[in-house]
Each structure stands twice: as structure tokens, then as C-alpha cells.
Amino acid sequence: MNTTQDFHCGFIAVVGRPNVGKSTLTNALVGTKVSIVSRKAQTTRHRIHSVLTRDDAQFVFVDTPGFQTRHGGAMNRMMNRVVTQALADVDVVIQVVEAGKWTPGDEQLVPLLPKNAKVILVINKVDMLKNKADLLPFIAQVSQKFNYTAVVPLSAAKGLQLDVLLNEVAAHLPVGEPMFEEDTLTDRSMKFIAAELMREKIFRLVGDELPYSCTVMIEEWDENEKGARISACVLVEREGHKPILLGAGGEHMKRIASEARQDIERMLEKPVFLNVYVKVRKGWSDREASLRELGYE
């Protein structure tokens, strides 16, 4: 790795309204699943650092929750604080918007963009545009919203133009030695990522039946060279949520646990025994003390 004065290293915040593809972009740039992805808005709840190291630069991406303007509550207030804090502490900001769509949610994020950092506008999902001729007028329109350093149209899901974005970001990172080892992918623990993988399965498999007021706690993690034994608790807010999560004959939970276990095995590269159960804790998502206890920032 080059650690001379030619090496660049810094923090990059990935921000945007909910469901524009921030986590998909971060995972695509790093080349592995660190942040969870779902078609539903507000699946990312934490600030997660993902690391990519090249010969000339180390990128520390800060994947943030979607900036929430439609709903209140303690969790959404806390997530919005995560976004504003991230914006204050980085060298480069990537604002992600969806090709052809500029919404009030995008507009409300603009005043929060820092004036002292380079801000790159990423227009994601260009592959989804029905009429490609609409792209240039859209770029012209949104370029007027802020003094963006650059505008990069791309598709995170298809891997299009990611190298263009990385080169643009690298050009604006400060000179400095790497902060993480070359093979580091995230500053989060395996336990944290395992809980996030399980929460992703809940969002994907239970559908719209289960409200967003569920989270996952890893209560036991016993690992050696032969395998890992993990016990996880899915926390919900109401007794009525338990049968939705379990499904008929427990089928929902069996599938959630099975798919999460397979992902965790791939991550750990060893066999995993995963025990999952459901517990009710009323009102946990609307009490800041409970959120802090559960690891929310």
C-alpha cells in the first residue's frame, strides 16, 4: 500500500432521503454487504463506517439513515441527529437522489449540506429511467439546487459508473496515511452485522405486515475455530406483532433464521447454530433511553 504523500484518506458521508439506494451504493463501492438493503424506506438506522482501500486512497464511507421529514418519534429524531452529525464530520459528502425524481425530501436535505466540504451529487438508478433523454434536463435542473462539486449519474445496483464516482471522491480527499488496515471492511463488529443481517431478513420476508418497531439483539455469541453458537432476540412493541413475525406454524421465523444463518456463515466462513426468539417490550422505539440501551446512537 502506498503511504507516501501521494496517498489520500478521509471520511465520506452518503446521505439522501429514505429509499434512494444509499446502502446499495455503499455496499457496491466497498464490494461487500455491510449495510442492509431493502425496498422499504428507513431500513438503515445506524451510522456505519465501510472501508475501501486502493493503492492511492482509503475511503471511509459513512452510510447514514435516510433523513426523515414525514414522521416524528424518538427513533426518527435520533436518526436525523445521526445524519446531521455525520455531515459535520466528513471531508466529502455524497448526496444520493433518484434519477428523474426530485422530491420535497430531497429539497429539505439541501440546507443541511455543509458549505466547508465537497458535495458530490449522485443520480442513482439511471438504468430505471424509461426515457434516457430525460437525464440531461434532470441533471441541469438539480444542479441549480446547490453548489455541487460534481454530478455523477450511475446505477449502484448494476455497478455502472462506480469507478467514475470513486475517482471523483479520491480527488477531494485530504493527503494522509490510512486509518484502517488494508483488509478492513467496516468498523462495526461481527455481532452488529449479524443483527443487521437478521433485521434485513425481517424487512424482506415479513413484508408490510410488521411495523418498523422491531429490532434485533444478539444475546449470546460463542465462537471458536470450528463454528459459532448465536442466540438472538427479536424485540417487538406489541403482543399482536409476535404472530405476524412468527407466521403460520412459525414458518416466517424459520425462514428468517435460516436465511440469516446462511449469510452469517458466509461472513464468518464457518458453521453457525442460530437460535432466535421473539420478545415484547412496549414502546421501546419511542424512548431515547431504550434506544441508547439497544445501541442506537
Side-chain angles (χ1 to χ4, degrees):
M1 189 196 303
N2 185 355
T3 56
T4 69
Q5 61 182 0
D6 298 325
F7 195 83
H8 293 253
C9 180
F11 289 94
I12 307 104
V14 183
V15 300
R17 63 174 168 82
N19 219 22
V20 291
K22 298 179 299 297
S23 295
T24 301
L25 177 61
T26 302
N27 290 339
L29 291 169
V30 176
T32 191
K33 180 186 282 190
V34 174
S35 296
I36 74 170
V37 177
S38 166
R39 284 189 292 273
K40 299 176 181 61
Q42 293 299 88
T43 47
T44 300
R45 293 178 180 171
H46 304 268
R47 177 161 58 176
I48 301 169
H49 289 162
S50 306
V51 184
L52 171 67
T53 305
R54 301 195 313 193
D55 287 342
D56 62 332
Q58 186 173 82
F59 308 79
V60 185
F61 294 102
V62 186
D63 186 18
T64 61
F67 191 77
Q68 180 61 258
T69 57
R70 294 176 58 196
H71 306 290
M75 183 183 289
N76 284 314
R77 288 196 302 272
M78 192 169 278
M79 290 193 295
N80 282 352
R81 282 204 298 272
V82 170
V83 177
T84 52
Q85 287 164 5
L87 287 170
D89 298 335
V90 297
D91 304 292
V92 176
V93 175
I94 295 173
Q95 183 187 4
V96 185
V97 300
E98 193 172 343
K101 295 181 183 177
W102 181 271
T103 72
D106 298 307
E107 192 75 44
Q108 287 170 321
L109 190 55
V110 171
L112 301 177
L113 297 173
K115 307 296 187 288
N116 59 340
K118 303 294 184 182
V119 182
I120 297 169
L121 181 68
V122 161
I123 299 175
N124 191 23
K125 307 184 185 181
V126 293
D127 56 311
M128 304 291 284
L129 269 180
K130 291 179 181 175
N131 186 354
K132 299 296 188 278
D134 292 339
L135 183 58
L136 287 177
F138 180 72
I139 290 173
Q141 173 202 339
V142 297
S143 296
Q144 305 302 312
K145 302 291 184 179
F146 187 81
N147 185 25
Y148 294 108
T149 303
V151 180
V152 180
L154 55 75
S155 168
K158 301 287 187 183
L160 302 174
Q161 293 271 93
L162 297 181
D163 54 340
V164 173
L165 175 60
L166 284 173
N167 291 336
E168 188 66 51
V169 171
H172 300 293
L173 292 179
V175 171
E177 294 197 357
M179 289 177 275
F180 296 93
E181 295 292 328
E182 191 171 356
D183 58 353
T184 299
L185 295 175
T186 178
D187 66 336
R188 291 291 192 168
S189 68
M190 292 291 189
K191 187 185 289 190
F192 172 89
I193 296 173
E196 289 289 275
L197 288 170
M198 193 171 306
R199 198 162 60 83
E200 176 187 52
K201 303 309 174 197
I202 293 169
F203 273 92
R204 283 177 177 265
L205 297 176
V206 178
D208 295 324
E209 299 168 87
L210 188 71
Y212 285 76
S213 49
C214 76
T215 195
V216 177
M217 298 185 296
I218 302 295
E219 298 203 323
E220 180 188 347
W221 186 288
D222 185 14
E223 182 184 353
N224 57 37
E225 65 277 0
K226 292 181 180 178
R229 180 175 289 271
I230 301 167
S231 180
C233 169
V234 181
L235 207 61
V236 295
E237 289 199 313
R238 299 176 192 163
E239 286 292 342
H241 293 165
K242 284 179 74 173
I244 296 172
L245 189 57
L246 292 169
E251 286 306 308
H252 271 159
M253 185 50 70
K254 286 176 189 172
R255 189 173 167 197
I256 288 164
S258 175
E259 294 197 10
R261 178 186 56 77
Q262 292 171 45
D263 273 3
I264 297 167
E265 284 184 337
R266 281 191 286 272
M267 178 177 73
L268 298 179
E269 299 181 334
K270 62 181 73 172
V272 168
F273 173 80
L274 178 62
N275 177 49
V276 184
Y277 65 96
V278 183
K279 189 158 77 175
V280 178
R281 185 189 292 182
K282 293 180 181 178
W284 71 264
S285 70
D286 206 32
R287 292 197 299 268
E288 295 210 4
S290 291
L291 290 166
R292 283 191 290 273
E293 180 193 340
L294 292 166
Y296 290 85
E297 297 180 52

